[in-house]
Amino acid sequence: GYAVEEGTVTPGLSSVAAAVLDRSGHPVASFAVTFEGDRVDEQERAGLADSVQRAADTLSRRLSGGR
């Protein structure tokens, strides 16, 4: 899964983020992308969320000894 933030931290900016998990399933880091909210449409946001999630999943696997 991933989290979305829209203008809460900084007005006009949005973010998507995903947790990196250790081998026990505990969050140890995260990947996030921040962008100008009014310049990125829903389809692009979905693509960013997918990319962030894949990066977090890849690092989670590597931290757990996988590839």
Side-chain angles (χ1 to χ4, degrees):
Y2 61 92
V4 177
E5 180 275 318
E6 296 186 11
T8 304
V9 176
T10 304
L13 297 181
S14 298
S15 302
V16 293
V20 175
L21 307 176
D22 66 11
R23 69 179 56 182
S24 299
H26 296 104
V28 293
S30 67
F31 278 100
V33 176
T34 300
F35 49 90
E36 291 182 52
D38 60 353
R39 298 187 69 179
V40 178
D41 66 28
E42 288 302 317
Q43 185 175 2
E44 291 171 312
R45 288 173 193 239
L48 289 171
D50 182 59
S51 294
V52 166
Q53 183 64 63
R54 282 187 287 119
D57 289 346
T58 297
L59 186 52
S60 294
R61 278 194 308 280
R62 296 200 64 188
L63 287 173
S64 297
R67 293 187 181 246

